[in-house]
Amino acid sequence: MTNMMTQTNTFASLADSVREARAWSEPAWFLERRGRGARHFAELGFPSQKLEDWKYTNIKPVAEAEYQVPGDEASVSAGVLAEFEYGDLDAHRFVFVNGVFQPALSHLDKLPKGVTASTLREALTTDNETFRKYFGAQADIEKHHLTALNAALVQDGFFLAVAPNTVVEKPFHLLFLTTSDAEPAIANLHNVIVLGTSAQATILETHGAAQTHRYLKNIVTEIDAAPNAHLDRYVVQRESVENGWHISSEYVHQGRDSNVRSHSLDFGGDIVRHNIWAKLDGEAAEAVLNGLYMLRGNQHVDNFMWVEHTKENIPSHELFKGILDEHASAAFTGRIYVHKEAQKTDAKQTNQNLLLSDTARANTRPQLEIYADDVKCTHGATIGQLDEQALFYLRSRGVDPIQARNLLIHAFACDITERIRIPQVLDKAEELLTAQLGESK
Amino acid sequence: MLEIKNLKASIEDKEILHGLSLQVRPGEVHAIMGPNGSGKSTLARVLAGSDDYEVTGGEITLDGEDIIDLEPDERAQRGIFMAFQYPVEIPGVSNTYFLRTALNSVRKARGEEELSGGDFLKLAREKAKLVDLDPDLMKRSLNVGFSGGEKKRNEIFQMAVLDPRIAILDETDSGLDIDALRVVADGVNKLRNEDRMIIVVTHYQRLLNYIIPDHVHVLVGGQIAKSGDKSLAEELEATGYTELEREVRNAATANT
């Protein structure tokens, strides 16, 4: 009880500082939602490991930290920014530092007609109708702890609306950085992505820290893909390995024949949790969720997803592969829920882990809940080590042990990396993987 | 020269080679024959440096250098090459990329310059012709989806590219039909020269009709039971290993 009081008090002062930092006025409906988020979070608090869904992730350090909201004035240098870029990739760029948009570091090229790309604050001040309709439509602030916290404290975010039959060729690169002398810092962001019928877009997210400091990044994303819409998403998570806490909660709603491909690439973070709740709500709506994580030290990454099939002929594919060294740990929970109307479901779920040390750990829980009788659902999980015979084969040809090991690890990861359709992102992923491995013995 | 003296090797505390001695001079081709379980493959894998085996006694020197404590990659860098009986399939590692990495490690160790991608491809294409290897296989993942014959050809192709001082072919012929056998044997013959040493490990005499050895040794119970020239292989083809095994057993009983 004492704990709860402390948490609530800290939280109340946090909410105050977010309000104080707000030089812009928020509409009544938004303020009202903030209030509801605050009330729900006061009841829910941070999740504990006693909850089945949080069994494998101890977020006690995250829950017990006394956060400070950094002021809006922080920024980062061009040099830091360059570290998080992708070669010569040509993209619209939105940079957020400590949860606040940085116009000077961002650029938005000419967009096709019918496309709105802005910040959350701008969407609020212009009272964008699409934004009002979709913001908060899926995010569950009553049940989801971190989503409630986010609702109360949200600072900014990215908003994209693409009109029907409109294709945005150039990717949007969303760069979320933190930097602060006040720690532990907290940043709360909320992104909304709305694709009209047959619309198409690509979004690349990068997460990281510009300096060494303790922080929590709590980010909520809502995606609505109308019939036949196509979205490609890449989330490159490079938070501070020792000090970065990252929790994402994503809500996806897909109409018939839509296709959402999501790739998460986790190299950073001390404690990381990704939640995905996807509702495949139209015939042949297809969801592809891919993930790769390469962790070392005491890093922990937990991928939790819930994919719901509500109509006929829906394919969903989840492939998560992890490489764990030293004391790193990972968890995977993939729940596929097939409604009784969802005949001819084709669901496949795979989680494979490669342990490079005796002290690395992986917990994996693929789960199927099926109420339809004509479905094809498969799931599989493996936890293993590098193949000794393969290592011997490579070494017998002259390849030194580190190179041999790296070859095998890149080969293990290539099921995921080869699905990356942006060459510059693929190159970066390979580079980050090598860098994470490089320090290994 | 390769010199093996009184070599003893075990796997999981079970001794397989009980004091084996063998000398191979530059330019020579030696065939090691023997029944199943006689230690032929153990000898090949011990020479390549597999850590499945423990060398418990004896010496192996290559051109005077003791190699027993060298790692498999260090041995390869000194020119030891073993063609695997069962080449390992490695999904996700391309044949070309792997072989270029290997060749450049070997070249670096020899004090030669590393090859660029273009120069490597030129060399690889030229060597692929030796064993009639489909160039498409070079782009594919290492041995993945290769037929038995293609895997063995790929081994000889790697040998051609790496240009080793000594090549040990571990039952490269087993499982091959006569056409595939000819291609592989042809490839090996083209790689024979006055400096290179070749050890052909085989269960069957047939291969030796195509790769004519200078010396033939028969391994029984982890020791060389008999050595001779190529006529020994023909003799064995007629009599089989059983007779020889009985002789070795009798000799052992007589000694105790």
Side-chain angles (χ1 to χ4, degrees), chain B residues 4 20-22 24 29-34 38-41 43-44 47 168-169 171 198-204 208 213 215-220 223-224 241:
Chain B
I4 303 171
L20 181 145
S21 298
L22 180 69
V24 183
V29 174
H30 287 238
I32 310 268
M33 303 186 70
S38 59
K40 302 188 301 287
S41 280
L43 175 63
L47 289 174
I168 304 129
L169 312 182
E171 305 208 20
I198 297 177
I199 297 176
V200 179
V201 173
T202 182
H203 186 77
Y204 305 103
L208 305 180
H215 300 275
V216 174
H217 312 276
V218 186
L219 210 56
V220 176
Q223 275 175 317
I224 290 179
Y241 293 115

mmCIF file of all heavy atoms in Angstrom, chain B residues 4 20-22 24 29-34 38-41 43-44 47 168-169 171 198-204 208 213 215-220 223-224 241:
data_model
loop_
_atom_site.group_PDB
_atom_site.id
_atom_site.type_symbol
_atom_site.label_atom_id
_atom_site.label_comp_id
_atom_site.label_asym_id
_atom_site.label_seq_id
_atom_site.Cartn_x
_atom_site.Cartn_y
_atom_site.Cartn_z
ATOM 1 N N ILE B 4 53.255 -39.388 -39.655
ATOM 2 C CA ILE B 4 52.441 -39.786 -38.512
ATOM 3 C C ILE B 4 53.188 -40.907 -37.814
ATOM 4 O O ILE B 4 53.550 -41.904 -38.454
ATOM 5 C CB ILE B 4 51.055 -40.284 -38.974
ATOM 6 C CG1 ILE B 4 50.354 -39.202 -39.802
ATOM 7 C CG2 ILE B 4 50.191 -40.678 -37.771
ATOM 8 C CD1 ILE B 4 49.085 -39.669 -40.475
ATOM 9 N N LEU B 20 49.276 -45.627 -34.905
ATOM 10 C CA LEU B 20 49.309 -45.711 -36.366
ATOM 11 C C LEU B 20 50.475 -44.885 -36.898
ATOM 12 O O LEU B 20 50.697 -43.759 -36.457
ATOM 13 C CB LEU B 20 47.969 -45.183 -36.901
ATOM 14 C CG LEU B 20 47.733 -45.196 -38.405
ATOM 15 C CD1 LEU B 20 46.273 -45.495 -38.676
ATOM 16 C CD2 LEU B 20 48.148 -43.876 -39.039
ATOM 17 N N SER B 21 51.214 -45.457 -37.822
ATOM 18 C CA SER B 21 52.328 -44.717 -38.410
ATOM 19 C C SER B 21 52.185 -44.693 -39.926
ATOM 20 O O SER B 21 51.773 -45.686 -40.529
ATOM 21 C CB SER B 21 53.661 -45.367 -38.027
ATOM 22 O OG SER B 21 53.809 -45.322 -36.616
ATOM 23 N N LEU B 22 52.545 -43.539 -40.500
ATOM 24 C CA LEU B 22 52.373 -43.359 -41.941
ATOM 25 C C LEU B 22 53.250 -42.200 -42.397
ATOM 26 O O LEU B 22 53.373 -41.201 -41.698
ATOM 27 C CB LEU B 22 50.892 -43.041 -42.220
ATOM 28 C CG LEU B 22 50.469 -42.803 -43.667
ATOM 29 C CD1 LEU B 22 50.559 -44.099 -44.463
ATOM 30 C CD2 LEU B 22 49.041 -42.274 -43.710
ATOM 31 N N VAL B 24 53.846 -39.724 -45.811
ATOM 32 C CA VAL B 24 53.410 -39.350 -47.157
ATOM 33 C C VAL B 24 54.376 -38.295 -47.678
ATOM 34 O O VAL B 24 54.582 -37.251 -47.047
ATOM 35 C CB VAL B 24 51.967 -38.792 -47.147
ATOM 36 C CG1 VAL B 24 51.512 -38.470 -48.560
ATOM 37 C CG2 VAL B 24 51.003 -39.783 -46.484
ATOM 38 N N VAL B 29 50.229 -40.200 -53.744
ATOM 39 C CA VAL B 29 48.835 -40.450 -53.396
ATOM 40 C C VAL B 29 48.773 -41.758 -52.620
ATOM 41 O O VAL B 29 49.233 -42.798 -53.108
ATOM 42 C CB VAL B 29 47.938 -40.548 -54.649
ATOM 43 C CG1 VAL B 29 46.514 -40.960 -54.260
ATOM 44 C CG2 VAL B 29 47.911 -39.226 -55.405
ATOM 45 N N HIS B 30 48.262 -41.666 -51.398
ATOM 46 C CA HIS B 30 48.119 -42.863 -50.574
ATOM 47 C C HIS B 30 46.643 -43.190 -50.412
ATOM 48 O O HIS B 30 45.844 -42.292 -50.164
ATOM 49 C CB HIS B 30 48.705 -42.617 -49.170
ATOM 50 C CG HIS B 30 50.205 -42.568 -49.153
ATOM 51 N ND1 HIS B 30 50.965 -43.396 -48.391
ATOM 52 C CD2 HIS B 30 51.078 -41.769 -49.839
ATOM 53 C CE1 HIS B 30 52.251 -43.116 -48.581
ATOM 54 N NE2 HIS B 30 52.345 -42.128 -49.457
ATOM 55 N N ALA B 31 46.344 -44.464 -50.546
ATOM 56 C CA ALA B 31 44.962 -44.875 -50.289
ATOM 57 C C ALA B 31 44.919 -45.584 -48.947
ATOM 58 O O ALA B 31 45.784 -46.405 -48.641
ATOM 59 C CB ALA B 31 44.483 -45.808 -51.386
ATOM 60 N N ILE B 32 43.936 -45.206 -48.138
ATOM 61 C CA ILE B 32 43.722 -45.907 -46.870
ATOM 62 C C ILE B 32 42.421 -46.670 -47.019
ATOM 63 O O ILE B 32 41.366 -46.072 -47.211
ATOM 64 C CB ILE B 32 43.583 -44.933 -45.680
ATOM 65 C CG1 ILE B 32 44.715 -43.911 -45.655
ATOM 66 C CG2 ILE B 32 43.417 -45.704 -44.373
ATOM 67 C CD1 ILE B 32 45.906 -44.287 -44.830
ATOM 68 N N MET B 33 42.525 -47.974 -46.945
ATOM 69 C CA MET B 33 41.319 -48.793 -47.066
ATOM 70 C C MET B 33 41.081 -49.496 -45.752
ATOM 71 O O MET B 33 41.917 -49.450 -44.849
ATOM 72 C CB MET B 33 41.499 -49.807 -48.185
ATOM 73 C CG MET B 33 41.815 -49.159 -49.531
ATOM 74 S SD MET B 33 41.852 -50.357 -50.864
ATOM 75 C CE MET B 33 40.106 -50.781 -50.968
ATOM 76 N N GLY B 34 39.942 -50.141 -45.661
ATOM 77 C CA GLY B 34 39.686 -50.883 -44.429
ATOM 78 C C GLY B 34 38.207 -51.071 -44.220
ATOM 79 O O GLY B 34 37.388 -50.353 -44.801
ATOM 80 N N SER B 38 37.199 -49.437 -38.781
ATOM 81 C CA SER B 38 38.630 -49.692 -38.621
ATOM 82 C C SER B 38 39.407 -48.453 -38.208
ATOM 83 O O SER B 38 40.561 -48.540 -37.835
ATOM 84 C CB SER B 38 39.197 -50.253 -39.923
ATOM 85 O OG SER B 38 38.967 -49.329 -40.970
ATOM 86 N N GLY B 39 38.750 -47.281 -38.312
ATOM 87 C CA GLY B 39 39.405 -46.036 -37.891
ATOM 88 C C GLY B 39 39.804 -45.133 -39.041
ATOM 89 O O GLY B 39 40.490 -44.134 -38.838
ATOM 90 N N LYS B 40 39.341 -45.463 -40.268
ATOM 91 C CA LYS B 40 39.706 -44.653 -41.435
ATOM 92 C C LYS B 40 39.260 -43.198 -41.294
ATOM 93 O O LYS B 40 40.030 -42.271 -41.466
ATOM 94 C CB LYS B 40 39.047 -45.222 -42.705
ATOM 95 C CG LYS B 40 39.364 -46.648 -43.045
ATOM 96 C CD LYS B 40 38.814 -47.006 -44.420
ATOM 97 C CE LYS B 40 37.308 -46.851 -44.586
ATOM 98 N NZ LYS B 40 36.491 -47.857 -43.910
ATOM 99 N N SER B 41 37.952 -43.040 -40.974
ATOM 100 C CA SER B 41 37.420 -41.687 -40.875
ATOM 101 C C SER B 41 37.981 -40.959 -39.659
ATOM 102 O O SER B 41 38.163 -39.746 -39.679
ATOM 103 C CB SER B 41 35.892 -41.706 -40.814
ATOM 104 O OG SER B 41 35.401 -41.863 -42.117
ATOM 105 N N LEU B 43 40.998 -41.269 -38.579
ATOM 106 C CA LEU B 43 42.295 -40.739 -39.009
ATOM 107 C C LEU B 43 42.114 -39.436 -39.792
ATOM 108 O O LEU B 43 42.796 -38.444 -39.531
ATOM 109 C CB LEU B 43 43.018 -41.781 -39.872
ATOM 110 C CG LEU B 43 44.341 -41.308 -40.498
ATOM 111 C CD1 LEU B 43 45.362 -40.976 -39.408
ATOM 112 C CD2 LEU B 43 44.908 -42.360 -41.455
ATOM 113 N N ALA B 44 41.150 -39.436 -40.721
ATOM 114 C CA ALA B 44 40.918 -38.243 -41.526
ATOM 115 C C ALA B 44 40.541 -37.057 -40.643
ATOM 116 O O ALA B 44 41.075 -35.958 -40.785
ATOM 117 C CB ALA B 44 39.821 -38.517 -42.556
ATOM 118 N N LEU B 47 43.343 -35.724 -38.477
ATOM 119 C CA LEU B 47 44.275 -34.905 -39.259
ATOM 120 C C LEU B 47 43.725 -33.496 -39.479
ATOM 121 O O LEU B 47 44.450 -32.522 -39.493
ATOM 122 C CB LEU B 47 44.584 -35.570 -40.603
ATOM 123 C CG LEU B 47 45.462 -36.832 -40.541
ATOM 124 C CD1 LEU B 47 45.573 -37.483 -41.925
ATOM 125 C CD2 LEU B 47 46.857 -36.493 -40.002
ATOM 126 N N ILE B 168 42.993 -34.699 -47.776
ATOM 127 C CA ILE B 168 42.529 -35.988 -47.279
ATOM 128 C C ILE B 168 41.092 -36.140 -47.750
ATOM 129 O O ILE B 168 40.237 -35.322 -47.409
ATOM 130 C CB ILE B 168 42.598 -36.029 -45.736
ATOM 131 C CG1 ILE B 168 44.024 -35.715 -45.278
ATOM 132 C CG2 ILE B 168 42.125 -37.368 -45.206
ATOM 133 C CD1 ILE B 168 44.116 -34.642 -44.239
ATOM 134 N N LEU B 169 40.829 -37.129 -48.556
ATOM 135 C CA LEU B 169 39.473 -37.319 -49.076
ATOM 136 C C LEU B 169 38.817 -38.435 -48.272
ATOM 137 O O LEU B 169 39.188 -39.599 -48.393
ATOM 138 C CB LEU B 169 39.512 -37.694 -50.559
ATOM 139 C CG LEU B 169 40.415 -36.830 -51.455
ATOM 140 C CD1 LEU B 169 40.307 -37.291 -52.910
ATOM 141 C CD2 LEU B 169 40.043 -35.354 -51.357
ATOM 142 N N GLU B 171 36.200 -40.836 -47.721
ATOM 143 C CA GLU B 171 35.127 -41.580 -48.399
ATOM 144 C C GLU B 171 34.353 -40.715 -49.387
ATOM 145 O O GLU B 171 33.126 -40.724 -49.419
ATOM 146 C CB GLU B 171 34.185 -42.217 -47.364
ATOM 147 C CG GLU B 171 34.958 -43.091 -46.388
ATOM 148 C CD GLU B 171 34.148 -44.227 -45.803
ATOM 149 O OE1 GLU B 171 33.123 -44.598 -46.400
ATOM 150 O OE2 GLU B 171 34.570 -44.753 -44.751
ATOM 151 N N ILE B 198 48.232 -36.461 -51.268
ATOM 152 C CA ILE B 198 46.811 -36.799 -51.240
ATOM 153 C C ILE B 198 46.617 -38.115 -50.496
ATOM 154 O O ILE B 198 47.347 -39.091 -50.752
ATOM 155 C CB ILE B 198 46.214 -36.889 -52.673
ATOM 156 C CG1 ILE B 198 46.303 -35.510 -53.363
ATOM 157 C CG2 ILE B 198 44.765 -37.378 -52.635
ATOM 158 C CD1 ILE B 198 45.820 -35.487 -54.799
ATOM 159 N N ILE B 199 45.684 -38.104 -49.564
ATOM 160 C CA ILE B 199 45.318 -39.353 -48.891
ATOM 161 C C ILE B 199 43.866 -39.645 -49.256
ATOM 162 O O ILE B 199 42.982 -38.816 -49.014
ATOM 163 C CB ILE B 199 45.452 -39.230 -47.350
ATOM 164 C CG1 ILE B 199 46.917 -38.961 -46.968
ATOM 165 C CG2 ILE B 199 44.947 -40.508 -46.670
ATOM 166 C CD1 ILE B 199 47.126 -38.738 -45.473
ATOM 167 N N VAL B 200 43.642 -40.780 -49.865
ATOM 168 C CA VAL B 200 42.288 -41.150 -50.269
ATOM 169 C C VAL B 200 41.794 -42.223 -49.303
ATOM 170 O O VAL B 200 42.352 -43.317 -49.253
ATOM 171 C CB VAL B 200 42.289 -41.711 -51.704
ATOM 172 C CG1 VAL B 200 40.893 -42.132 -52.120
ATOM 173 C CG2 VAL B 200 42.852 -40.690 -52.680
ATOM 174 N N VAL B 201 40.797 -41.868 -48.517
ATOM 175 C CA VAL B 201 40.232 -42.840 -47.584
ATOM 176 C C VAL B 201 39.015 -43.459 -48.246
ATOM 177 O O VAL B 201 38.116 -42.726 -48.686
ATOM 178 C CB VAL B 201 39.827 -42.155 -46.261
ATOM 179 C CG1 VAL B 201 39.084 -43.129 -45.367
ATOM 180 C CG2 VAL B 201 41.050 -41.582 -45.553
ATOM 181 N N THR B 202 38.989 -44.746 -48.363
ATOM 182 C CA THR B 202 37.835 -45.361 -49.035
ATOM 183 C C THR B 202 37.558 -46.774 -48.532
ATOM 184 O O THR B 202 38.443 -47.463 -48.036
ATOM 185 C CB THR B 202 38.021 -45.390 -50.574
ATOM 186 O OG1 THR B 202 36.847 -45.955 -51.163
ATOM 187 C CG2 THR B 202 39.231 -46.230 -50.975
ATOM 188 N N HIS B 203 36.330 -47.126 -48.650
ATOM 189 C CA HIS B 203 35.905 -48.468 -48.280
ATOM 190 C C HIS B 203 35.979 -49.391 -49.503
ATOM 191 O O HIS B 203 36.133 -50.584 -49.394
ATOM 192 C CB HIS B 203 34.471 -48.389 -47.765
ATOM 193 C CG HIS B 203 33.955 -49.674 -47.220
ATOM 194 N ND1 HIS B 203 34.306 -50.137 -45.972
ATOM 195 C CD2 HIS B 203 33.135 -50.594 -47.749
ATOM 196 C CE1 HIS B 203 33.700 -51.290 -45.767
ATOM 197 N NE2 HIS B 203 32.986 -51.597 -46.820
ATOM 198 N N TYR B 204 35.825 -48.775 -50.687
ATOM 199 C CA TYR B 204 35.693 -49.552 -51.912
ATOM 200 C C TYR B 204 36.902 -49.396 -52.817
ATOM 201 O O TYR B 204 37.443 -48.306 -52.960
ATOM 202 C CB TYR B 204 34.447 -49.103 -52.682
ATOM 203 C CG TYR B 204 33.202 -49.158 -51.860
ATOM 204 C CD1 TYR B 204 32.645 -47.999 -51.339
ATOM 205 C CD2 TYR B 204 32.592 -50.380 -51.581
ATOM 206 C CE1 TYR B 204 31.500 -48.047 -50.574
ATOM 207 C CE2 TYR B 204 31.453 -50.429 -50.809
ATOM 208 C CZ TYR B 204 30.911 -49.257 -50.311
ATOM 209 O OH TYR B 204 29.784 -49.307 -49.556
ATOM 210 N N LEU B 208 39.747 -46.525 -56.746
ATOM 211 C CA LEU B 208 41.173 -46.590 -57.051
ATOM 212 C C LEU B 208 41.455 -47.020 -58.491
ATOM 213 O O LEU B 208 42.585 -47.006 -58.943
ATOM 214 C CB LEU B 208 41.877 -47.513 -56.050
ATOM 215 C CG LEU B 208 41.641 -47.120 -54.580
ATOM 216 C CD1 LEU B 208 42.364 -48.069 -53.646
ATOM 217 C CD2 LEU B 208 42.060 -45.677 -54.310
ATOM 218 N N PRO B 213 46.575 -44.943 -56.885
ATOM 219 C CA PRO B 213 47.432 -44.565 -55.759
ATOM 220 C C PRO B 213 48.872 -45.070 -55.932
ATOM 221 O O PRO B 213 49.110 -46.052 -56.630
ATOM 222 C CB PRO B 213 46.763 -45.274 -54.574
ATOM 223 C CG PRO B 213 46.103 -46.472 -55.172
ATOM 224 C CD PRO B 213 45.745 -46.131 -56.590
ATOM 225 N N HIS B 215 50.564 -45.746 -53.072
ATOM 226 C CA HIS B 215 50.640 -46.699 -51.971
ATOM 227 C C HIS B 215 49.242 -47.009 -51.469
ATOM 228 O O HIS B 215 48.379 -46.123 -51.478
ATOM 229 C CB HIS B 215 51.448 -46.117 -50.793
ATOM 230 C CG HIS B 215 52.850 -45.770 -51.174
ATOM 231 N ND1 HIS B 215 53.874 -46.680 -51.174
ATOM 232 C CD2 HIS B 215 53.386 -44.590 -51.587
ATOM 233 C CE1 HIS B 215 54.992 -46.078 -51.568
ATOM 234 N NE2 HIS B 215 54.717 -44.801 -51.832
ATOM 235 N N VAL B 216 49.065 -48.226 -51.024
ATOM 236 C CA VAL B 216 47.779 -48.616 -50.445
ATOM 237 C C VAL B 216 48.039 -49.174 -49.060
ATOM 238 O O VAL B 216 48.976 -49.962 -48.867
ATOM 239 C CB VAL B 216 47.072 -49.673 -51.324
ATOM 240 C CG1 VAL B 216 45.795 -50.179 -50.635
ATOM 241 C CG2 VAL B 216 46.749 -49.113 -52.700
ATOM 242 N N HIS B 217 47.248 -48.695 -48.079
ATOM 243 C CA HIS B 217 47.378 -49.213 -46.712
ATOM 244 C C HIS B 217 46.026 -49.747 -46.278
ATOM 245 O O HIS B 217 45.007 -49.137 -46.584
ATOM 246 C CB HIS B 217 47.784 -48.113 -45.732
ATOM 247 C CG HIS B 217 48.943 -47.297 -46.221
ATOM 248 N ND1 HIS B 217 50.253 -47.683 -46.063
ATOM 249 C CD2 HIS B 217 48.978 -46.127 -46.908
ATOM 250 C CE1 HIS B 217 51.050 -46.759 -46.612
ATOM 251 N NE2 HIS B 217 50.287 -45.810 -47.138
ATOM 252 N N VAL B 218 46.077 -50.857 -45.569
ATOM 253 C CA VAL B 218 44.808 -51.383 -45.067
ATOM 254 C C VAL B 218 44.790 -51.211 -43.560
ATOM 255 O O VAL B 218 45.705 -51.623 -42.857
ATOM 256 C CB VAL B 218 44.641 -52.872 -45.415
ATOM 257 C CG1 VAL B 218 43.240 -53.328 -45.009
ATOM 258 C CG2 VAL B 218 44.867 -53.089 -46.888
ATOM 259 N N LEU B 219 43.758 -50.542 -43.123
ATOM 260 C CA LEU B 219 43.595 -50.257 -41.708
ATOM 261 C C LEU B 219 42.670 -51.309 -41.108
ATOM 262 O O LEU B 219 41.571 -51.525 -41.616
ATOM 263 C CB LEU B 219 42.975 -48.872 -41.577
ATOM 264 C CG LEU B 219 43.279 -48.024 -40.355
ATOM 265 C CD1 LEU B 219 44.780 -47.845 -40.203
ATOM 266 C CD2 LEU B 219 42.607 -46.678 -40.488
ATOM 267 N N VAL B 220 43.119 -51.966 -40.054
ATOM 268 C CA VAL B 220 42.244 -52.906 -39.356
ATOM 269 C C VAL B 220 42.420 -52.653 -37.870
ATOM 270 O O VAL B 220 43.551 -52.594 -37.381
ATOM 271 C CB VAL B 220 42.593 -54.379 -39.693
ATOM 272 C CG1 VAL B 220 41.722 -55.334 -38.872
ATOM 273 C CG2 VAL B 220 42.413 -54.659 -41.178
ATOM 274 N N GLN B 223 44.955 -49.849 -36.695
ATOM 275 C CA GLN B 223 46.374 -49.922 -37.047
ATOM 276 C C GLN B 223 46.513 -50.292 -38.504
ATOM 277 O O GLN B 223 45.611 -50.904 -39.075
ATOM 278 C CB GLN B 223 47.074 -50.991 -36.204
ATOM 279 C CG GLN B 223 47.531 -50.497 -34.849
ATOM 280 C CD GLN B 223 48.093 -51.625 -34.032
ATOM 281 O OE1 GLN B 223 47.530 -52.718 -34.008
ATOM 282 N NE2 GLN B 223 49.198 -51.375 -33.355
ATOM 283 N N ILE B 224 47.651 -49.942 -39.104
ATOM 284 C CA ILE B 224 47.860 -50.359 -40.485
ATOM 285 C C ILE B 224 48.277 -51.830 -40.483
ATOM 286 O O ILE B 224 49.289 -52.205 -39.896
ATOM 287 C CB ILE B 224 48.894 -49.474 -41.190
ATOM 288 C CG1 ILE B 224 48.248 -48.095 -41.395
ATOM 289 C CG2 ILE B 224 49.326 -50.077 -42.527
ATOM 290 C CD1 ILE B 224 49.104 -47.076 -42.047
ATOM 291 N N TYR B 241 37.827 -58.042 -46.799
ATOM 292 C CA TYR B 241 38.581 -57.673 -45.601
ATOM 293 C C TYR B 241 38.616 -58.785 -44.564
ATOM 294 O O TYR B 241 39.435 -58.789 -43.667
ATOM 295 C CB TYR B 241 37.977 -56.422 -44.943
ATOM 296 C CG TYR B 241 38.121 -55.168 -45.770
ATOM 297 C CD1 TYR B 241 37.012 -54.523 -46.290
ATOM 298 C CD2 TYR B 241 39.384 -54.636 -46.005
ATOM 299 C CE1 TYR B 241 37.137 -53.367 -47.035
ATOM 300 C CE2 TYR B 241 39.531 -53.486 -46.754
ATOM 301 C CZ TYR B 241 38.390 -52.843 -47.266
ATOM 302 O OH TYR B 241 38.530 -51.720 -47.993
#
